[in-house]
Amino acid sequence: MMTSLLRRGAGALCALLSLGLAMITAGNAAAETPWERLALPEGAVIEIPADFRILSEKEVAGIASYAAGAAQRRQTRDPQRRLLVANAGEPSWAVVRLSVFDSNRWNREDLLNATESELRDVRDYYLDYLPKALVRGQARLREVYMPRIVTIAGHPALEITYRRSSQFVVSDWLVRMYSIETGAKKFLLTISNDLSSADRMDPILNRILWTIEFN
């Protein structure tokens, strides 16, 4: 059940993957700075370090075009509305992305009642799908971890984590995707970073994850 639901969103997810693969070509060096609280459209609120660079729609569109190619981008039945793309710059190049979808693919009960067998099916689906999506950004899939159902801002979320290579840096990247079902809307939060910077960046990225709110 969940595998077929995920398949419907593959086009939108592929756009996010392509964007993330090229994101490290943009951004400035990051230093420890205060945090800022951002009130985003669709009732989303998130906190990020003040030195994270927030990319404009024009910059994001240019990066996505570079990564995926105009011929490869296509409309989907369930289009995303991008709310935030921010990155930390050197040396970690960590990226935070938040988008919203009309929630017509699954509901809270689908997530809350997901069985271990269904989660294995989701993992198998991404083991098949991700190598095809990542090749567009000249990256290779290393590993897909077992999906989990977690709670974010009081809402159930499907967590999908995978490790991939990068064409830009030697170290692998860890990508965490959270499909958060709030009822009226579904949010997709993606957090990714170079594993060589994990000791420094994991506490920061985890804090970002747990600051998110939906009003």
Side-chain angles (χ1 to χ4, degrees):
M1 176 185 67
M2 292 185 68
T3 304
S4 63
L5 293 172
L6 285 165
R7 186 173 290 111
R8 296 187 209 172
L13 174 59
C14 186
L16 288 172
L17 289 170
S18 299
L19 176 63
L21 289 167
M23 187 63 68
I24 62 174
T25 64
N28 299 314
E32 293 186 8
T33 61
W35 286 57
E36 60 181 331
R37 183 178 176 87
L38 304 176
L40 304 172
E42 305 291 345
V45 177
I46 194 170
E47 294 181 15
I48 62 173
D51 59 354
F52 270 46
R53 183 184 177 203
I54 300 175
L55 273 70
S56 67
E57 282 294 323
K58 183 176 181 180
E59 289 174 307
V60 170
I63 292 172
S65 178
Y66 164 78
Q72 293 176 326
R73 285 176 291 146
R74 60 183 184 274
Q75 295 294 323
T76 67
R77 294 166 56 187
D78 192 15
Q80 62 168 317
R81 298 189 294 282
R82 190 178 296 111
L83 305 180
L84 174 72
V85 180
N87 76 334
E90 295 184 84
S92 73
W93 298 112
V95 181
V96 177
R97 300 185 297 274
L98 181 65
S99 299
V100 64
F101 299 79
D102 292 332
S103 185
N104 58 4
R105 289 178 293 176
W106 58 63
N107 55 38
R108 293 172 64 91
E109 286 68 31
D110 290 329
L111 297 183
L112 292 171
N113 298 321
T115 65
E116 184 176 349
S117 175
E118 288 175 328
L119 292 175
R120 281 197 298 267
D121 288 344
V122 171
R123 180 176 182 269
D124 290 343
Y125 169 73
Y126 278 99
L127 281 169
D128 176 70
Y129 170 72
L130 283 170
K132 302 169 189 175
L134 291 170
V135 72
R136 298 180 183 182
Q138 302 179 31
R140 292 181 180 274
L141 179 67
R142 303 294 197 201
E143 185 174 3
V144 178
Y145 300 92
M146 187 67 179
R148 301 188 303 161
I149 303 300
V150 299
T151 301
I152 297 178
H155 301 287
L158 173 65
E159 178 193 67
I160 299 169
T161 303
Y162 66 91
R163 184 167 56 90
R164 64 164 174 81
S165 69
S166 170
Q167 64 170 315
F168 300 105
V169 295
V170 174
S171 175
D172 285 350
W173 273 59
L174 188 72
V175 181
R176 292 182 281 168
M177 301 185 299
Y178 297 90
S179 295
I180 308 163
E181 176 58 61
T182 66
K185 302 180 181 70
K186 184 173 78 71
F187 292 85
L188 179 61
L189 175 67
T190 305
I191 297 175
S192 54
N193 67 289
D194 172 7
L195 282 173
S196 68
S197 65
D199 288 346
R200 184 173 68 88
M201 291 305 301
D202 279 355
I204 295 173
L205 297 175
N206 289 335
R207 175 177 169 180
I208 291 173
L209 173 62
W210 298 117
T211 65
I212 193 166
E213 300 175 9
F214 303 104
N215 300 318

